[in-house]
Amino acid sequence: MHSENKRRLCLLLIVVLAGYVWGSVLPRWAADPEFRRAEAEFERAGIDATALFYTDHPRAFRSVP
């Protein structure tokens, strides 16, 4: 039983940690002015911030000659 309790405790710890990151860390990060500025720049450039592969977007390398 000791091993089973240890696994449950580890799972609980992982869930609590993921919940903390999702509910506290990520919202604070998204509210950061620098993050907002970069997000607005992507939107102006027509880059989809939710895309899986940015290299597939023709405007992703606008600074490269």
Side-chain angles (χ1 to χ4, degrees), residues 3-65:
S3 178
E4 185 177 329
N5 288 339
K6 188 175 179 181
R7 280 184 276 169
R8 285 183 182 175
L9 182 62
C10 284
L11 177 61
L12 179 64
L13 181 63
I14 289 169
V15 169
V16 167
L17 184 61
Y20 173 74
V21 169
W22 186 268
S24 182
V25 175
L26 293 179
R28 275 189 270 149
W29 187 23
D32 182 61
E34 183 65 25
F35 182 85
R36 298 270 187 183
R37 185 201 57 76
E39 186 179 34
E41 187 176 321
F42 282 156
E43 190 173 314
R44 281 191 305 275
I47 298 172
D48 181 8
T50 62
L52 292 177
F53 301 103
Y54 293 106
T55 56
D56 292 342
H57 196 285
R59 293 186 183 177
F61 296 105
R62 64 185 163 107
S63 63
V64 178

